[in-house]
Amino acid sequence: MVVVVELVVLLALLGLLLYALGVWSVRPAVRAGAGADGLPARSPAELAAAVARARWAPAHDEVDGRTRVLLRRSYPGPDGLPVVLEDRVYTAFAAADPAWEARFTEAMSGARFRCSYLNAEESAD
């Protein structure tokens, strides 16, 4: 009977050890000097240069049953994902509109043209 109890205790300790090893191995690695998200922090000069290179691009989303076509000004963040500085609604229409595809195609075309104009305007300054 004592052998069975010792075996159960040994298996419980081994299970706890494996559990702790599993939790430790999947935690995110944070480098020294990194921000809260594990990415290196940008200096103020690097951030200012990235913001200065921000570009306008068309985007879209759906809010409360309406499709919105947006003009979005963003720059690439340190993780490669865009950091949005500004969103402007170019147009909006009902997501259930029977002519949704035609309206969406036309709106995105107009938004692309407007973004190219805004980017050209900012690069001329």
Side-chain angles (χ1 to χ4, degrees), residues 20-77:
L21 182 62
V23 168
W24 176 80
S25 66
V26 297
R27 69 175 172 71
V30 178
R31 295 182 304 264
D37 56 1
L39 296 172
R42 283 186 170 176
S43 72
E46 290 173 330
L47 183 59
V51 170
R53 290 189 308 268
R55 307 285 295 164
W56 290 94
H60 61 88
D61 64 8
E62 188 174 322
V63 176
D64 297 329
R66 297 190 56 79
T67 299
R68 301 186 318 164
V69 175
L70 308 167
L71 308 176
R72 180 171 284 166
R73 186 169 180 249
S74 63
Y75 66 92

Short mmCIF file of all heavy atoms in Angstrom, two decimals, residues 20-77:
data_model
loop_
_atom_site.label_atom_id
_atom_site.label_comp_id
_atom_site.label_asym_id
_atom_site.label_seq_id
_atom_site.Cartn_x
_atom_site.Cartn_y
_atom_site.Cartn_z
N ALA A 20 4.66 22.95 -15.31
CA ALA A 20 5.46 24.16 -15.14
C ALA A 20 6.39 24.35 -16.34
O ALA A 20 6.56 25.47 -16.83
CB ALA A 20 6.26 24.10 -13.85
N LEU A 21 6.96 23.27 -16.84
CA LEU A 21 7.84 23.35 -18.01
C LEU A 21 7.04 23.80 -19.23
O LEU A 21 7.52 24.62 -20.02
CB LEU A 21 8.50 22.00 -18.26
CG LEU A 21 9.48 21.93 -19.43
CD1 LEU A 21 10.65 22.87 -19.18
CD2 LEU A 21 9.97 20.52 -19.63
N GLY A 22 5.83 23.29 -19.39
CA GLY A 22 4.99 23.69 -20.51
C GLY A 22 4.60 25.16 -20.44
O GLY A 22 4.64 25.88 -21.44
N VAL A 23 4.23 25.64 -19.27
CA VAL A 23 3.87 27.05 -19.09
C VAL A 23 5.07 27.94 -19.35
O VAL A 23 4.99 28.96 -20.02
CB VAL A 23 3.29 27.29 -17.68
CG1 VAL A 23 3.18 28.77 -17.37
CG2 VAL A 23 1.94 26.61 -17.54
N TRP A 24 6.22 27.55 -18.86
CA TRP A 24 7.43 28.34 -19.04
C TRP A 24 7.84 28.39 -20.51
O TRP A 24 8.27 29.42 -21.01
CB TRP A 24 8.56 27.75 -18.19
CG TRP A 24 9.86 28.47 -18.41
CD1 TRP A 24 10.25 29.65 -17.87
CD2 TRP A 24 10.93 28.03 -19.25
NE1 TRP A 24 11.50 29.98 -18.31
CE2 TRP A 24 11.94 29.00 -19.16
CE3 TRP A 24 11.14 26.93 -20.05
CZ2 TRP A 24 13.13 28.90 -19.86
CZ3 TRP A 24 12.33 26.82 -20.74
CH2 TRP A 24 13.31 27.80 -20.64
N SER A 25 7.67 27.29 -21.23
CA SER A 25 8.15 27.23 -22.62
C SER A 25 7.27 28.01 -23.58
O SER A 25 7.74 28.41 -24.65
CB SER A 25 8.28 25.79 -23.09
OG SER A 25 7.00 25.19 -23.16
N VAL A 26 6.01 28.25 -23.25
CA VAL A 26 5.14 28.98 -24.17
C VAL A 26 5.03 30.46 -23.84
O VAL A 26 4.39 31.21 -24.57
CB VAL A 26 3.72 28.38 -24.24
CG1 VAL A 26 3.76 26.98 -24.77
CG2 VAL A 26 3.03 28.44 -22.91
N ARG A 27 5.65 30.93 -22.80
CA ARG A 27 5.58 32.35 -22.47
C ARG A 27 6.36 33.14 -23.52
O ARG A 27 7.32 32.65 -24.09
CB ARG A 27 6.13 32.62 -21.07
CG ARG A 27 7.63 32.43 -20.96
CD ARG A 27 8.14 32.83 -19.58
NE ARG A 27 9.51 32.49 -19.41
CZ ARG A 27 10.54 33.08 -20.00
NH1 ARG A 27 10.33 34.06 -20.83
NH2 ARG A 27 11.77 32.69 -19.79
N PRO A 28 5.92 34.38 -23.82
CA PRO A 28 6.63 35.17 -24.82
C PRO A 28 7.99 35.61 -24.31
O PRO A 28 8.15 35.95 -23.14
CB PRO A 28 5.72 36.38 -25.04
CG PRO A 28 4.87 36.45 -23.82
CD PRO A 28 4.76 35.05 -23.29
N ALA A 29 8.95 35.56 -25.19
CA ALA A 29 10.30 36.00 -24.84
C ALA A 29 10.37 37.51 -24.94
O ALA A 29 10.00 38.09 -25.95
CB ALA A 29 11.33 35.37 -25.76
N VAL A 30 10.84 38.18 -23.91
CA VAL A 30 10.98 39.64 -23.90
C VAL A 30 12.45 39.95 -23.79
O VAL A 30 13.12 39.56 -22.84
CB VAL A 30 10.19 40.26 -22.72
CG1 VAL A 30 10.39 41.76 -22.69
CG2 VAL A 30 8.72 39.92 -22.82
N ARG A 31 12.94 40.68 -24.80
CA ARG A 31 14.35 41.05 -24.79
C ARG A 31 14.57 42.25 -23.87
O ARG A 31 13.66 43.03 -23.63
CB ARG A 31 14.79 41.42 -26.21
CG ARG A 31 14.72 40.24 -27.16
CD ARG A 31 15.22 40.65 -28.54
NE ARG A 31 14.50 41.78 -29.08
CZ ARG A 31 13.46 41.68 -29.90
NH1 ARG A 31 13.01 40.51 -30.26
NH2 ARG A 31 12.87 42.75 -30.37
N ALA A 32 15.79 42.39 -23.40
CA ALA A 32 16.13 43.55 -22.56
C ALA A 32 16.00 44.80 -23.40
O ALA A 32 16.41 44.86 -24.54
CB ALA A 32 17.55 43.41 -22.04
N GLY A 33 15.38 45.83 -22.83
CA GLY A 33 15.20 47.09 -23.54
C GLY A 33 14.00 47.09 -24.46
O GLY A 33 13.80 48.02 -25.21
N ALA A 34 13.22 46.04 -24.44
CA ALA A 34 12.06 45.97 -25.32
C ALA A 34 10.86 46.58 -24.62
O ALA A 34 10.79 46.67 -23.41
CB ALA A 34 11.76 44.52 -25.69
N GLY A 35 9.87 46.98 -25.44
CA GLY A 35 8.65 47.55 -24.91
C GLY A 35 7.78 46.46 -24.31
O GLY A 35 8.15 45.29 -24.23
N ALA A 36 6.56 46.83 -23.93
CA ALA A 36 5.64 45.89 -23.29
C ALA A 36 5.24 44.78 -24.24
O ALA A 36 4.92 43.69 -23.80
CB ALA A 36 4.40 46.64 -22.81
N ASP A 37 5.25 45.03 -25.55
CA ASP A 37 4.83 44.01 -26.49
C ASP A 37 6.00 43.16 -26.99
O ASP A 37 5.84 42.35 -27.88
CB ASP A 37 4.10 44.63 -27.67
CG ASP A 37 4.93 45.70 -28.38
OD1 ASP A 37 6.08 45.93 -27.97
OD2 ASP A 37 4.42 46.30 -29.34
N GLY A 38 7.18 43.34 -26.44
CA GLY A 38 8.33 42.52 -26.82
C GLY A 38 9.10 43.07 -28.00
O GLY A 38 10.07 42.47 -28.44
N LEU A 39 8.69 44.19 -28.56
CA LEU A 39 9.38 44.79 -29.69
C LEU A 39 10.31 45.89 -29.19
O LEU A 39 10.03 46.53 -28.19
CB LEU A 39 8.36 45.38 -30.67
CG LEU A 39 7.42 44.37 -31.32
CD1 LEU A 39 6.35 45.10 -32.09
CD2 LEU A 39 8.19 43.43 -32.21
N PRO A 40 11.40 46.11 -29.91
CA PRO A 40 12.30 47.18 -29.48
C PRO A 40 11.61 48.54 -29.59
O PRO A 40 10.85 48.78 -30.54
CB PRO A 40 13.47 47.08 -30.45
CG PRO A 40 12.99 46.27 -31.59
CD PRO A 40 11.87 45.43 -31.09
N ALA A 41 11.85 49.38 -28.63
CA ALA A 41 11.24 50.71 -28.62
C ALA A 41 11.91 51.59 -29.67
O ALA A 41 13.11 51.49 -29.90
CB ALA A 41 11.39 51.34 -27.24
N ARG A 42 11.12 52.41 -30.33
CA ARG A 42 11.66 53.35 -31.32
C ARG A 42 12.09 54.63 -30.63
O ARG A 42 11.44 55.09 -29.69
CB ARG A 42 10.60 53.70 -32.36
CG ARG A 42 10.37 52.63 -33.39
CD ARG A 42 9.43 53.15 -34.45
NE ARG A 42 9.39 52.23 -35.57
CZ ARG A 42 8.59 52.39 -36.60
NH1 ARG A 42 7.76 53.41 -36.65
NH2 ARG A 42 8.61 51.53 -37.58
N SER A 43 13.16 55.21 -31.12
CA SER A 43 13.58 56.50 -30.59
C SER A 43 12.61 57.56 -31.12
O SER A 43 11.93 57.35 -32.13
CB SER A 43 15.01 56.82 -31.04
OG SER A 43 15.02 57.12 -32.42
N PRO A 44 12.53 58.71 -30.45
CA PRO A 44 11.63 59.77 -30.93
C PRO A 44 11.94 60.20 -32.37
O PRO A 44 11.02 60.49 -33.13
CB PRO A 44 11.87 60.91 -29.94
CG PRO A 44 12.32 60.23 -28.69
CD PRO A 44 13.12 59.04 -29.16
N ALA A 45 13.20 60.21 -32.74
CA ALA A 45 13.57 60.60 -34.11
C ALA A 45 13.08 59.57 -35.12
O ALA A 45 12.58 59.92 -36.20
CB ALA A 45 15.07 60.77 -34.22
N GLU A 46 13.21 58.27 -34.79
CA GLU A 46 12.73 57.21 -35.69
C GLU A 46 11.21 57.27 -35.82
O GLU A 46 10.67 57.09 -36.91
CB GLU A 46 13.14 55.83 -35.17
CG GLU A 46 14.61 55.54 -35.28
CD GLU A 46 14.99 54.23 -34.60
OE1 GLU A 46 14.33 53.85 -33.62
OE2 GLU A 46 15.94 53.60 -35.07
N LEU A 47 10.53 57.52 -34.72
CA LEU A 47 9.07 57.62 -34.75
C LEU A 47 8.63 58.82 -35.58
O LEU A 47 7.71 58.71 -36.39
CB LEU A 47 8.52 57.73 -33.32
CG LEU A 47 7.01 57.77 -33.20
CD1 LEU A 47 6.38 56.53 -33.80
CD2 LEU A 47 6.61 57.92 -31.74
N ALA A 48 9.30 59.94 -35.42
CA ALA A 48 8.97 61.14 -36.20
C ALA A 48 9.20 60.90 -37.69
O ALA A 48 8.39 61.32 -38.53
CB ALA A 48 9.79 62.34 -35.72
N ALA A 49 10.27 60.21 -38.03
CA ALA A 49 10.54 59.90 -39.44
C ALA A 49 9.49 58.95 -40.00
O ALA A 49 9.05 59.10 -41.15
CB ALA A 49 11.93 59.29 -39.58
N ALA A 50 9.05 57.97 -39.21
CA ALA A 50 8.02 57.03 -39.66
C ALA A 50 6.70 57.75 -39.87
O ALA A 50 6.00 57.52 -40.87
CB ALA A 50 7.85 55.89 -38.65
N VAL A 51 6.35 58.66 -38.98
CA VAL A 51 5.09 59.42 -39.11
C VAL A 51 5.17 60.32 -40.34
O VAL A 51 4.19 60.49 -41.07
CB VAL A 51 4.79 60.22 -37.83
CG1 VAL A 51 3.65 61.19 -38.04
CG2 VAL A 51 4.47 59.27 -36.69
N ALA A 52 6.34 60.90 -40.59
CA ALA A 52 6.51 61.77 -41.75
C ALA A 52 6.34 60.99 -43.06
O ALA A 52 5.94 61.56 -44.08
CB ALA A 52 7.88 62.44 -41.72
N ARG A 53 6.63 59.69 -43.05
CA ARG A 53 6.48 58.84 -44.24
C ARG A 53 5.09 58.22 -44.34
O ARG A 53 4.85 57.39 -45.21
CB ARG A 53 7.52 57.73 -44.24
CG ARG A 53 8.94 58.20 -44.48
CD ARG A 53 9.90 57.04 -44.68
NE ARG A 53 9.84 56.04 -43.62
CZ ARG A 53 10.60 56.02 -42.53
NH1 ARG A 53 11.49 56.98 -42.35
NH2 ARG A 53 10.48 55.07 -41.63
N ALA A 54 4.18 58.60 -43.47
CA ALA A 54 2.82 58.03 -43.49
C ALA A 54 2.17 58.30 -44.84
O ALA A 54 2.38 59.35 -45.45
CB ALA A 54 1.98 58.63 -42.36
N ARG A 55 1.40 57.32 -45.31
CA ARG A 55 0.75 57.40 -46.61
C ARG A 55 -0.75 57.20 -46.46
O ARG A 55 -1.20 56.54 -45.53
CB ARG A 55 1.30 56.34 -47.56
CG ARG A 55 2.80 56.31 -47.72
CD ARG A 55 3.36 57.40 -48.55
NE ARG A 55 2.88 57.25 -49.91
CZ ARG A 55 2.93 58.19 -50.83
NH1 ARG A 55 3.44 59.35 -50.55
NH2 ARG A 55 2.47 57.99 -52.04
N TRP A 56 -1.50 57.75 -47.39
CA TRP A 56 -2.94 57.54 -47.45
C TRP A 56 -3.22 56.29 -48.27
O TRP A 56 -2.58 56.06 -49.30
CB TRP A 56 -3.63 58.73 -48.10
CG TRP A 56 -3.62 59.96 -47.25
CD1 TRP A 56 -2.71 60.97 -47.30
CD2 TRP A 56 -4.54 60.30 -46.22
NE1 TRP A 56 -3.02 61.93 -46.36
CE2 TRP A 56 -4.15 61.54 -45.69
CE3 TRP A 56 -5.68 59.68 -45.70
CZ2 TRP A 56 -4.83 62.17 -44.66
CZ3 TRP A 56 -6.38 60.31 -44.68
CH2 TRP A 56 -5.95 61.54 -44.18
N ALA A 57 -4.17 55.49 -47.82
CA ALA A 57 -4.57 54.28 -48.55
C ALA A 57 -6.07 54.06 -48.33
O ALA A 57 -6.60 54.38 -47.27
CB ALA A 57 -3.78 53.07 -48.05
N PRO A 58 -6.75 53.51 -49.34
CA PRO A 58 -8.18 53.23 -49.16
C PRO A 58 -8.38 52.03 -48.24
O PRO A 58 -7.55 51.13 -48.17
CB PRO A 58 -8.67 52.92 -50.58
CG PRO A 58 -7.45 52.45 -51.30
CD PRO A 58 -6.29 53.17 -50.68
N ALA A 59 -9.48 52.05 -47.52
CA ALA A 59 -9.83 50.94 -46.61
C ALA A 59 -11.35 50.89 -46.55
O ALA A 59 -12.04 51.79 -47.06
CB ALA A 59 -9.23 51.16 -45.23
N HIS A 60 -11.86 49.86 -45.93
CA HIS A 60 -13.31 49.76 -45.76
C HIS A 60 -13.62 48.95 -44.52
O HIS A 60 -12.81 48.16 -44.04
CB HIS A 60 -13.99 49.14 -46.99
CG HIS A 60 -13.53 47.75 -47.28
ND1 HIS A 60 -14.10 46.64 -46.73
CD2 HIS A 60 -12.52 47.29 -48.07
CE1 HIS A 60 -13.49 45.56 -47.17
NE2 HIS A 60 -12.52 45.93 -47.99
N ASP A 61 -14.80 49.18 -43.97
CA ASP A 61 -15.29 48.39 -42.84
C ASP A 61 -16.81 48.43 -42.85
O ASP A 61 -17.42 49.09 -43.71
CB ASP A 61 -14.71 48.88 -41.51
CG ASP A 61 -15.12 50.29 -41.13
OD1 ASP A 61 -15.99 50.88 -41.80
OD2 ASP A 61 -14.58 50.81 -40.14
N GLU A 62 -17.41 47.70 -41.93
CA GLU A 62 -18.86 47.70 -41.80
C GLU A 62 -19.21 48.03 -40.37
O GLU A 62 -18.73 47.38 -39.44
CB GLU A 62 -19.44 46.35 -42.19
CG GLU A 62 -20.95 46.35 -42.25
CD GLU A 62 -21.53 45.06 -42.78
OE1 GLU A 62 -20.94 44.47 -43.70
OE2 GLU A 62 -22.57 44.65 -42.25
N VAL A 63 -20.03 49.06 -40.19
CA VAL A 63 -20.44 49.51 -38.87
C VAL A 63 -21.95 49.70 -38.88
O VAL A 63 -22.48 50.43 -39.73
CB VAL A 63 -19.74 50.83 -38.48
CG1 VAL A 63 -20.24 51.35 -37.16
CG2 VAL A 63 -18.24 50.66 -38.46
N ASP A 64 -22.63 49.04 -37.97
CA ASP A 64 -24.09 49.16 -37.82
C ASP A 64 -24.83 48.93 -39.13
O ASP A 64 -25.75 49.68 -39.48
CB ASP A 64 -24.45 50.54 -37.24
CG ASP A 64 -23.90 50.76 -35.85
OD1 ASP A 64 -23.77 49.76 -35.11
OD2 ASP A 64 -23.58 51.91 -35.50
N GLY A 65 -24.43 47.91 -39.89
CA GLY A 65 -25.13 47.57 -41.12
C GLY A 65 -24.85 48.49 -42.29
O GLY A 65 -25.54 48.44 -43.30
N ARG A 66 -23.83 49.34 -42.15
CA ARG A 66 -23.44 50.25 -43.23
C ARG A 66 -21.99 49.98 -43.60
O ARG A 66 -21.14 49.85 -42.73
CB ARG A 66 -23.62 51.71 -42.82
CG ARG A 66 -25.10 52.04 -42.54
CD ARG A 66 -25.36 53.51 -42.36
NE ARG A 66 -24.94 54.37 -43.45
CZ ARG A 66 -25.62 54.55 -44.60
NH1 ARG A 66 -26.71 53.87 -44.83
NH2 ARG A 66 -25.18 55.40 -45.50
N THR A 67 -21.74 49.91 -44.89
CA THR A 67 -20.37 49.77 -45.38
C THR A 67 -19.78 51.16 -45.51
O THR A 67 -20.38 52.04 -46.12
CB THR A 67 -20.35 49.06 -46.75
OG1 THR A 67 -20.91 47.76 -46.59
CG2 THR A 67 -18.94 48.95 -47.29
N ARG A 68 -18.61 51.33 -44.89
CA ARG A 68 -17.91 52.61 -44.98
C ARG A 68 -16.65 52.43 -45.81
O ARG A 68 -15.89 51.49 -45.58
CB ARG A 68 -17.53 53.13 -43.59
CG ARG A 68 -18.68 53.33 -42.67
CD ARG A 68 -18.28 53.97 -41.35
NE ARG A 68 -17.04 53.42 -40.81
CZ ARG A 68 -16.33 54.00 -39.84
NH1 ARG A 68 -16.74 55.12 -39.30
NH2 ARG A 68 -15.24 53.44 -39.40
N VAL A 69 -16.44 53.31 -46.75
CA VAL A 69 -15.18 53.35 -47.51
C VAL A 69 -14.39 54.50 -46.91
O VAL A 69 -14.88 55.62 -46.78
CB VAL A 69 -15.44 53.55 -49.02
CG1 VAL A 69 -14.12 53.71 -49.77
CG2 VAL A 69 -16.24 52.37 -49.57
N LEU A 70 -13.15 54.18 -46.51
CA LEU A 70 -12.35 55.12 -45.73
C LEU A 70 -11.10 55.56 -46.48
O LEU A 70 -10.56 54.82 -47.31
CB LEU A 70 -11.90 54.46 -44.43
CG LEU A 70 -12.98 53.81 -43.57
CD1 LEU A 70 -12.36 52.95 -42.51
CD2 LEU A 70 -13.86 54.88 -42.96
N LEU A 71 -10.63 56.74 -46.15
CA LEU A 71 -9.29 57.19 -46.52
C LEU A 71 -8.49 57.09 -45.23
O LEU A 71 -8.81 57.75 -44.25
CB LEU A 71 -9.33 58.64 -47.02
CG LEU A 71 -10.34 58.94 -48.13
CD1 LEU A 71 -10.32 60.43 -48.45
CD2 LEU A 71 -10.04 58.13 -49.37
N ARG A 72 -7.47 56.25 -45.23
CA ARG A 72 -6.74 55.96 -44.00
C ARG A 72 -5.28 56.38 -44.15
O ARG A 72 -4.60 55.95 -45.07
CB ARG A 72 -6.84 54.46 -43.71
CG ARG A 72 -6.12 54.04 -42.46
CD ARG A 72 -6.43 52.61 -42.13
NE ARG A 72 -7.78 52.56 -41.56
CZ ARG A 72 -8.48 51.46 -41.41
NH1 ARG A 72 -8.00 50.30 -41.79
NH2 ARG A 72 -9.70 51.50 -40.88
N ARG A 73 -4.82 57.19 -43.22
CA ARG A 73 -3.41 57.60 -43.19
C ARG A 73 -2.70 56.77 -42.13
O ARG A 73 -3.08 56.78 -40.96
CB ARG A 73 -3.29 59.08 -42.86
CG ARG A 73 -1.88 59.61 -42.95
CD ARG A 73 -1.88 61.13 -42.88
NE ARG A 73 -0.53 61.61 -42.96
CZ ARG A 73 0.12 62.20 -41.96
NH1 ARG A 73 -0.48 62.41 -40.81
NH2 ARG A 73 1.37 62.60 -42.10
N SER A 74 -1.66 56.03 -42.55
CA SER A 74 -0.97 55.14 -41.61
C SER A 74 0.49 55.00 -42.01
O SER A 74 0.90 55.38 -43.10
CB SER A 74 -1.65 53.77 -41.60
OG SER A 74 -1.55 53.16 -42.87
N TYR A 75 1.25 54.45 -41.08
CA TYR A 75 2.66 54.13 -41.32
C TYR A 75 2.92 52.75 -40.72
O TYR A 75 2.20 52.30 -39.84
CB TYR A 75 3.59 55.18 -40.70
CG TYR A 75 3.57 55.24 -39.19
CD1 TYR A 75 4.46 54.48 -38.43
CD2 TYR A 75 2.66 56.05 -38.52
CE1 TYR A 75 4.44 54.53 -37.05
CE2 TYR A 75 2.64 56.10 -37.14
CZ TYR A 75 3.53 55.34 -36.41
OH TYR A 75 3.51 55.38 -35.04
N PRO A 76 3.94 52.04 -41.22
CA PRO A 76 4.22 50.71 -40.68
C PRO A 76 4.82 50.80 -39.28
O PRO A 76 5.78 51.53 -39.05
CB PRO A 76 5.20 50.09 -41.67
CG PRO A 76 5.68 51.20 -42.53
CD PRO A 76 4.75 52.35 -42.39
N GLY A 77 4.25 50.05 -38.35
CA GLY A 77 4.77 50.01 -36.98
C GLY A 77 5.97 49.10 -36.88
O GLY A 77 6.38 48.47 -37.86
#
